[in-house]
Amino acid sequence: MAERLIYLPLGGAGEIGMNAYVYGYGAPGKERLILIDLGVTFGDMDGTPGIDLIMPDMTWLEKNRDRLEAIFITHGHEDHLGALGHLWQRLGVPIYARQFTGALVRLKLEEMGHPGNTVNITGARPEVTRIGPFTVQFVPVSHSIPESAALIIDTPAGRILHTGDFKLDGTPVVGDPFDPEMWHEIANEGRGVKVLACDSTNIFTPHPGRSEALLADPIREWVLSQPNLVVATTFASNIARLKTLAEAAIAAGRKVCLLGRAMRRMVSVGMETGVLTDFPDTISPEEATNLPRNQVMLIVTGSQGERRAASAQLSRGRYLGLQLKEGDSFLFSSRTIPGNERGVSRIMNALSELGVEVYDADDGFYHVSGHANRPDIEALHDLLKPRIVIPMHGEHLHLREHVQLARAKGLAAEIAVNGNVLDLTGDAPKIVDQVETGRVYLDGTVLIGAMDGIVRDRIRMALNGHALVSVIVDEEDNALPDAWVELMGLSDRTRGGADLAGHIEGELAEFLEGADARTVGNDAKLDEALRRITRQVSMEEIGKKPEVTVIISRLMAD
Amino acid sequence: MAERLIYLPLGGAGEIGMNAYVYGYGAPGKERLILIDLGVTFGDMDGTPGIDLIMPDMTWLEKNRDRLEAIFITHGHEDHLGALGHLWQRLGVPIYARQFTGALVRLKLEEMGHPGNTVNITGARPEVTRIGPFTVQFVPVSHSIPESAALIIDTPAGRILHTGDFKLDGTPVVGDPFDPEMWHEIANEGRGVKVLACDSTNIFTPHPGRSEALLADPIREWVLSQPNLVVATTFASNIARLKTLAEAAIAAGRKVCLLGRAMRRMVSVGMETGVLTDFPDTISPEEATNLPRNQVMLIVTGSQGERRAASAQLSRGRYLGLQLKEGDSFLFSSRTIPGNERGVSRIMNALSELGVEVYDADDGFYHVSGHANRPDIEALHDLLKPRIVIPMHGEHLHLREHVQLARAKGLAAEIAVNGNVLDLTGDAPKIVDQVETGRVYLDGTVLIGAMDGIVRDRIRMALNGHALVSVIVDEEDNALPDAWVELMGLSDRTRGGADLAGHIEGELAEFLEGADARTVGNDAKLDEALRRITRQVSMEEIGKKPEVTVIISRLMAD
């Protein structure tokens, strides 16, 4: 059978986050594979209470690991590399990344006890990595973290351009500016670009993207006009922004204090790898407390409302000796990621209650996006002239919109969501197979499956409460009549003011007294009956059907 | 002591939702009181899992019910009247409302078995209600539900204008248009307006508000251009919008089918009370399934992503015989209320997966807000020339911004949040006292306090899981050695692959064997020890500290 070129997203297609894209080339079912990115997404109380991280299920790739050549990491964001520490060992292949990204990958691996030297540091195009049927180049692109890269993946079936996350920024403050000449070259080498796999995040944003460099003046003006302590928060990994903020502080005669482990780490990796130069000297929180308030600027983590980050801590009161007051100013130099609105709003209101003036970036002066907007995506289509567009890095709505945009330009395009196997060999992409995909959760220190029922049980307990029923059955299969009921997360009083647990115990005792030996002697039957009564009484008395756990203790004859 | 005029928000000040504002006039501590609105807010999984409704705590008002004269309801939204069914009985005073609002209040009361005739239907200004030291008039204002009213509250200390929710709309489609003449009159009668208590919802929206009437053309055009089945969702109570949508359907030669109980109820109350006239005939879901898809428009509930509403049901597949398909169109003629983004986005993406084209109102063509924007709020300040502005109906950030706006105009203004007692007697408002306030939850059919710990326990179970430990102690205070452990919402496997419950049981058995009689004989000590071991083992094995419930069963000598 003829060889073919396939694309298989295992994460990131039909969602924003948890990126993991497979490309394959070879005979059907025997394609040699590479994986692009291995990221996480973050849970929320609605769907995944208590879950620390969400990762793509690697079962399929693990089963096919003898076909997997390598993992390429486009950039250092958690949604592109955050799962490496937890899942790399199951795949066990070399990792390729540029220097700054590679340093972050190493930290991830080493934190989990894996050897950091599995990472191969690779230079930007024209350097190439030849592996299996693939020849891969890292193409510098602008994004909200230094050293982001698109990938050129040359295969016998043609050239793929996988954008990773990108924007078109000629003046990105830190990192490589957009270079139209180079992209023109990429489009015109050999047979040109066959497939463009393209970031879709901002497909609904109608205006052209704005440059990081546009922020320097407004931010400096803003800092200059503030009378007391100034605080700014942004994404820890947005090193260009950190630099802009820090330089604004210096221009206003203030010292810079970085709060938050992630932020200090990013700055230090940035300096070690040489991507960040001329970053102003910083002071410690202790030094900051000893300076007049109008001579300090704090740059802090927690722009997304994370409860344990520095922003949240400061909004709740004293943090590392620092305390915000009436007349201080707090800037969110960031966009609130959809889903985080409640958390961010909670912090902003708490700051307002402290008397702090809160500034957000809604008017566009203090934040620009790291992703290409709709006209920029169109510009890339026009520049690269691909035959096929595969939208990625988007929810279903984004992918649909991106496909419509591409088709309107006469390009072949297809929606492929996680698990779809897309054949890219011909002129038009075709979904030819479907692979089981899913999510794996990091819960504490163990990995659990999304379908294991563990999280479902947590959600049920959170919605319905949990009733525990304990009964003891003696050596002769007689239930001792005093069932014991404990309620957790449930009102202990009925509508009429009675004791709910006591009331259920009474009903259970009555049942047990009359129950026949066949029921009492059978764990499943007894469990079922006690559960039913508990739920029924609870429904009648407080209008809720709790989760019920029954513990039957059977006494053994000595 | 001299008499005074006070304002005391019990809900709605420092939050959006759960409105309940008290005004009082009289000797300090003996003021005669009226309550404006008694609304609910809705919970979320983050903070209030399983809670059906959130209401302001009425303890203070209940204690002072002999001083309470009446309740006035400004309009029919849940955040202004939704708590009446649950809390009215504790207050037991007459309710005043206009006709349409009054009909909704009656339904609320009757649903909970209270007499509907406690509602006094009151005409708009110039009709007055004299009660205690207050003379109250209902002033028609535009909003996103018919018959909204501001209240003129005349007291011996001067005139209060309490806006309720409002916008300035000269062409509101349904209901009373904004009448600048009347507002001019209100401002210039007697000594004019002393206090303006004013809606702050849209204080951050910089452009002037837009009229409901502007939507008719774009919505009609949109419906006309759709090829297949058309669905639109909006707030059930936005009767003007329902009319605009239905008329667009008729203009496009489509029949209208309303889905969702709340929507059908609103339309029927609207027609019964005469506020809604000329609403097109509707068809049943069954009739809709028998017509060609391009001859039907569904108008449905669930614009906020509510899981059980019609929009969500349709996004999941068949609903009442109706099923959406490739090429159908779905319009969100609504704004997503902050906090509901996840739910709305889930539905939009599910619709996209069905092949449905989703249209939202982000570009402003298909939705206008029901609240006054910043320039409209300023216009009202200018029109009424109050001496004092009290911002209400807003989070702390909104109240702060509104106070700054008013002060910049030379008006006295103060932030008062729930529980603050504001003295309005003099030229400037002063916080003179603080009342205990809080929240009460409807959980199933019982009311529980926000501080009862019930919801806290649910959240903890959701985050940490729940471990149940059962031990039996015999007649001689010897613990039987086989402790029983059940896990709910926790991985049953340790990192090493062992059985977690079994492992904990082993550790507990070991402890019980060595435990002295003083520990085993004491419930509290034994409970504490078993809990500690369970949490510790769980932390070591899976990195989580679960909630633990211990049940100790003591066998009695026969």
Side-chain angles (χ1 to χ4, degrees):
Chain A
M1 213 168 177
E3 299 189 307
R4 66 180 188 179
L5 174 64
I6 59 167
Y7 163 78
L8 163 58
L10 295 173
E15 66 196 339
I16 292 181
M18 207 179 86
N19 294 278
Y21 307 94
V22 174
Y23 290 94
Y25 183 80
K30 294 184 178 157
E31 297 90 351
R32 302 303 300 172
L33 308 171
I34 54 175
L35 173 65
I36 315 298
D37 291 336
L38 189 49
V40 296
T41 192
F42 299 95
D44 58 42
M45 192 70 182
D46 296 74
T48 53
I51 295 302
D52 297 281
L53 288 176
I54 301 174
M55 294 174 258
D57 184 351
M58 285 292 114
T59 305
W60 184 86
L61 208 53
E62 223 180 317
K63 277 190 201 146
N64 291 282
R65 65 185 272 180
D66 58 317
R67 293 163 54 196
L68 183 64
E69 302 277 1
I71 303 171
F72 292 84
I73 303 296
T74 59
H75 63 283
H77 278 152
E78 291 295 322
D79 59 334
H80 292 259
L81 60 63
L84 277 172
H86 304 285
L87 300 178
W88 172 79
Q89 203 167 21
R90 301 184 180 199
L91 305 174
V93 297
I95 300 169
Y96 293 84
R98 295 175 72 194
Q99 187 175 18
F100 172 77
T101 311
L104 295 174
V105 170
R106 273 191 187 143
L107 288 173
K108 285 276 167 213
L109 293 173
E110 286 166 359
E111 269 171 10
M112 297 300 292
H114 305 313
N117 65 7
T118 189
V119 187
N120 299 282
I121 301 301
T122 313
R125 172 185 156 93
E127 188 170 325
V128 299
T129 301
R130 294 200 173 79
I131 191 150
F134 306 100
T135 304
V136 180
Q137 298 175 62
F138 285 82
V139 182
V141 293
S142 306
H143 184 44
S144 45
I145 185 169
E147 269 201 3
S148 289
L151 298 175
I152 294 171
I153 306 167
D154 284 313
T155 75
R159 169 167 283 193
I160 298 161
L161 191 296
H162 181 99
T163 65
D165 293 359
F166 80 104
K167 67 184 288 191
L168 307 180
D169 193 337
T171 51
V173 179
V174 169
D176 314 285
F178 173 59
D179 175 0
E181 279 308 302
M182 182 186 62
W183 288 88
H184 185 75
E185 252 175 54
I186 292 170
N188 291 286
E189 283 167 356
R191 288 176 291 156
V193 174
K194 179 182 176 70
V195 178
L196 172 65
C198 187
D199 181 1
S200 311
T201 313
N202 284 1
I203 190 77
F204 289 108
T205 309
H207 59 79
R210 296 161 61 240
S211 170
E212 185 69 28
L214 289 175
L215 301 178
D217 286 350
I219 288 178
R220 193 179 50 245
E221 293 303 313
W222 178 81
V223 177
L224 276 167
S225 67
Q226 301 310 316
N228 290 308
L229 185 65
V230 169
V231 190
T233 181
T234 190
F235 302 93
S237 58
N238 195 335
I239 288 187
R241 189 71 46 80
L242 299 183
K243 193 174 180 194
T244 301
L245 291 166
E247 286 174 349
I250 301 302
R254 292 171 184 263
K255 301 278 188 192
V256 174
C257 173
L258 299 179
L259 293 186
R261 204 173 61 96
M263 195 166 271
R264 289 195 311 276
R265 178 158 107 165
M266 277 290 168
V267 167
S268 102
V269 174
M271 295 204 277
E272 281 161 22
T273 55
V275 302
L276 179 62
T277 51
D278 309 323
F279 195 80
D281 288 338
T282 60
I283 60 173
S284 70
E286 200 183 356
E287 290 170 297
T289 57
N290 291 327
L291 284 173
R293 299 178 86 70
N294 63 0
Q295 291 178 21
V296 176
M297 175 159 163
L298 311 177
I299 306 179
V300 308
T301 53
S303 66
Q304 297 305 307
E306 304 91 328
R307 278 173 196 270
R308 278 177 277 182
S311 292
Q313 305 267 16
L314 287 168
S315 80
R316 288 195 290 262
R318 186 177 290 273
Y319 179 56
L320 301 176
L322 295 156
Q323 191 161 18
L324 302 191
K325 284 189 192 163
E326 183 83 35
D328 291 340
S329 308
F330 201 113
L331 174 64
F332 283 77
S333 177
S334 55
R335 165 179 171 256
T336 302
I337 293 173
N340 295 341
E341 291 85 354
R342 287 177 203 153
V344 172
S345 155
R346 190 165 33 232
I347 289 174
M348 287 184 169
N349 279 297
L351 291 169
S352 178
E353 284 171 37
L354 294 175
V356 175
E357 291 294 325
V358 178
Y359 297 80
D360 64 31
D362 283 357
D363 50 16
F365 290 135
Y366 309 125
H367 178 66
V368 295
S369 172
H371 293 274
N373 292 351
R374 187 185 187 92
D376 312 314
I377 291 170
E378 288 199 68
L380 196 69
H381 291 178
D382 296 344
L383 196 52
L384 292 179
K385 297 184 188 61
R387 271 151 285 162
I388 296 172
V389 171
I390 305 299
M392 57 170 191
H393 208 279
E395 297 175 0
H396 201 277
L397 284 169
H398 298 82
L399 304 185
R400 165 182 289 275
E401 186 76 9
H402 196 161
V403 161
Q404 287 174 352
L405 179 72
R407 287 187 182 159
K409 287 174 165 309
L411 307 174
E414 195 61 64
I415 299 176
V417 297
N418 295 343
N420 289 160
V421 179
L422 211 55
D423 186 335
L424 300 171
T425 321
D427 288 336
K430 269 200 310 264
I431 294 178
V432 290
D433 203 356
Q434 179 65 33
V435 151
E436 284 276 332
T437 53
R439 296 174 156 211
V440 167
Y441 298 151
L442 179 68
D443 186 40
T445 53
V446 291
L447 294 177
I448 63 178
M451 296 313 200
D452 288 0
I454 294 166
V455 167
R456 181 202 59 208
D457 286 348
R458 284 189 199 160
I459 292 173
R460 287 185 180 165
M461 288 191 291
L463 295 175
N464 310 321
H466 194 191
L468 322 176
V469 176
S470 169
V471 293
I472 300 176
V473 178
D474 72 11
E475 298 83 345
E476 285 132 29
D477 279 354
N478 296 312
L480 306 190
D482 43 346
W484 186 261
V485 172
E486 287 269 353
L487 304 176
M488 185 83 156
L490 284 165
S491 170
D492 55 2
R493 295 281 140 197
T494 67
R495 228 172 330 160
D499 169 26
L500 177 60
H503 189 65
I504 299 172
E505 284 169 356
E507 297 283 329
L508 293 176
E510 197 172 305
F511 162 79
L512 288 169
E513 273 173 44
D516 57 22
R518 244 187 10 179
T519 304
V520 175
N522 180 317
D523 275 3
K525 277 192 186 158
L526 185 56
D527 184 296
E528 166 58 25
L530 298 173
R531 179 187 309 267
R532 204 191 56 241
I533 294 166
T534 303
R535 287 167 68 91
Q536 198 175 313
V537 173
S538 176
M539 189 66 201
E540 280 160 18
E541 297 297 329
I542 64 166
K544 294 196 75 103
K545 278 195 177 169
E547 296 305 292
V548 179
T549 298
V550 176
I551 299 184
I552 301 166
S553 307
R554 295 186 183 273
L555 300 179
M556 302 298 175
D558 286 332
Chain B
M1 212 172 181
E3 299 189 309
R4 66 179 188 180
L5 175 64
I6 58 167
Y7 163 78
L8 163 59
L10 295 173
E15 68 197 338
I16 291 182
M18 207 178 85
N19 295 278
Y21 306 94
V22 173
Y23 291 96
Y25 183 81
K30 295 185 179 158
E31 297 88 352
R32 302 303 299 171
L33 307 172
I34 53 174
L35 173 65
I36 314 298
D37 292 336
L38 189 49
V40 296
T41 192
F42 299 95
D44 58 41
M45 191 71 182
D46 295 74
T48 52
I51 295 302
D52 297 281
L53 289 175
I54 302 174
M55 295 174 258
D57 184 351
M58 285 292 113
T59 305
W60 183 85
L61 208 53
E62 225 180 314
K63 277 190 201 147
N64 292 282
R65 64 185 274 176
D66 58 316
R67 292 163 54 197
L68 183 65
E69 302 277 0
I71 304 171
F72 292 84
I73 302 296
T74 59
H75 64 284
H77 278 152
E78 291 296 322
D79 60 333
H80 292 261
L81 58 64
L84 278 171
H86 304 284
L87 299 178
W88 171 78
Q89 204 167 22
R90 302 186 179 196
L91 305 174
V93 297
I95 300 169
Y96 293 83
R98 294 175 74 193
Q99 187 175 18
F100 172 77
T101 311
L104 295 173
V105 171
R106 274 191 186 144
L107 288 173
K108 284 274 168 216
L109 293 172
E110 287 166 358
E111 268 172 9
M112 296 301 291
H114 305 314
N117 64 8
T118 189
V119 187
N120 299 282
I121 302 301
T122 312
R125 172 184 157 93
E127 190 171 322
V128 300
T129 300
R130 294 200 173 80
I131 192 152
F134 305 100
T135 303
V136 179
Q137 299 175 61
F138 284 83
V139 182
V141 293
S142 306
H143 184 43
S144 46
I145 186 169
E147 269 199 0
S148 288
L151 298 174
I152 294 171
I153 306 166
D154 284 313
T155 76
R159 170 167 283 193
I160 298 161
L161 192 296
H162 180 99
T163 64
D165 293 0
F166 80 104
K167 67 184 288 192
L168 308 180
D169 192 337
T171 51
V173 180
V174 169
D176 313 285
F178 173 59
D179 175 2
E181 278 308 303
M182 183 186 63
W183 289 89
H184 186 75
E185 252 176 54
I186 291 169
N188 291 286
E189 284 167 357
R191 287 177 291 157
V193 174
K194 180 181 175 73
V195 178
L196 172 64
C198 189
D199 180 2
S200 311
T201 313
N202 284 1
I203 190 79
F204 289 108
T205 310
H207 60 79
R210 295 161 62 239
S211 171
E212 185 70 28
L214 289 175
L215 301 178
D217 286 348
I219 287 179
R220 195 178 49 244
E221 292 303 312
W222 179 80
V223 177
L224 275 167
S225 67
Q226 301 311 315
N228 290 308
L229 185 65
V230 168
V231 190
T233 182
T234 189
F235 301 94
S237 58
N238 194 335
I239 288 187
R241 189 68 48 79
L242 299 184
K243 194 174 179 193
T244 300
L245 291 166
E247 286 174 349
I250 301 302
R254 292 171 184 263
K255 302 279 188 193
V256 174
C257 173
L258 299 179
L259 293 186
R261 205 172 61 96
M263 196 168 271
R264 290 196 311 276
R265 178 157 109 168
M266 276 292 168
V267 168
S268 100
V269 174
M271 295 205 278
E272 281 161 23
T273 55
V275 302
L276 179 61
T277 52
D278 309 324
F279 195 80
D281 289 338
T282 59
I283 60 173
S284 70
E286 202 186 354
E287 290 170 295
T289 56
N290 292 325
L291 284 174
R293 298 177 88 70
N294 63 359
Q295 291 178 21
V296 176
M297 174 158 163
L298 311 177
I299 306 179
V300 309
T301 53
S303 67
Q304 296 306 306
E306 303 92 328
R307 276 173 198 269
R308 277 176 277 183
S311 293
Q313 304 267 15
L314 286 168
S315 80
R316 288 195 289 262
R318 187 178 289 273
Y319 180 56
L320 301 176
L322 296 157
Q323 192 161 18
L324 302 190
K325 285 189 193 162
E326 184 83 34
D328 292 339
S329 308
F330 201 113
L331 174 65
F332 282 78
S333 177
S334 54
R335 167 179 170 255
T336 301
I337 294 173
N340 296 341
E341 291 85 356
R342 286 177 203 155
V344 172
S345 154
R346 187 162 38 228
I347 290 174
M348 287 184 169
N349 279 297
L351 291 169
S352 177
E353 284 171 36
L354 295 175
V356 175
E357 292 293 325
V358 179
Y359 297 81
D360 64 28
D362 283 358
D363 50 16
F365 290 134
Y366 309 125
H367 178 66
V368 295
S369 171
H371 294 273
N373 292 351
R374 187 185 186 93
D376 312 314
I377 292 170
E378 288 199 68
L380 196 71
H381 291 179
D382 296 345
L383 196 54
L384 291 179
K385 299 183 186 64
R387 270 152 284 163
I388 296 172
V389 171
I390 306 300
M392 57 169 190
H393 207 278
E395 298 174 359
H396 201 276
L397 284 169
H398 298 82
L399 305 184
R400 164 182 289 273
E401 185 75 9
H402 196 160
V403 160
Q404 288 174 350
L405 179 73
R407 286 186 183 159
K409 288 174 166 309
L411 307 173
E414 195 61 65
I415 298 176
V417 297
N418 295 342
N420 289 161
V421 179
L422 213 54
D423 185 336
L424 301 171
T425 322
D427 288 336
K430 270 201 307 265
I431 294 176
V432 290
D433 203 354
Q434 179 66 32
V435 152
E436 284 276 331
T437 53
R439 296 174 156 211
V440 168
Y441 299 151
L442 178 68
D443 186 40
T445 53
V446 291
L447 294 177
I448 61 179
M451 296 312 199
D452 290 358
I454 294 166
V455 167
R456 180 202 60 207
D457 286 348
R458 286 190 198 159
I459 292 173
R460 287 184 179 167
M461 288 191 291
L463 294 175
N464 310 322
H466 193 191
L468 321 176
V469 176
S470 169
V471 293
I472 300 176
V473 178
D474 71 12
E475 298 83 343
E476 284 132 29
D477 279 354
N478 295 312
L480 307 191
D482 44 345
W484 187 260
V485 172
E486 287 268 354
L487 304 175
M488 184 83 155
L490 284 165
S491 172
D492 55 2
R493 295 279 138 196
T494 67
R495 228 173 330 163
D499 168 26
L500 177 59
H503 189 66
I504 299 171
E505 284 168 358
E507 297 283 331
L508 293 177
E510 197 173 306
F511 163 79
L512 289 169
E513 272 173 46
D516 58 23
R518 242 188 13 181
T519 304
V520 175
N522 179 316
D523 275 1
K525 276 193 186 159
L526 185 55
D527 183 297
E528 166 60 25
L530 297 173
R531 178 187 310 268
R532 202 191 59 239
I533 294 166
T534 303
R535 287 166 68 90
Q536 197 174 313
V537 173
S538 175
M539 189 66 201
E540 280 161 16
E541 296 297 329
I542 64 167
K544 294 196 76 102
K545 278 196 177 167
E547 296 307 292
V548 179
T549 298
V550 175
I551 299 185
I552 301 166
S553 306
R554 294 187 184 275
L555 300 180
M556 302 297 175
D558 285 330

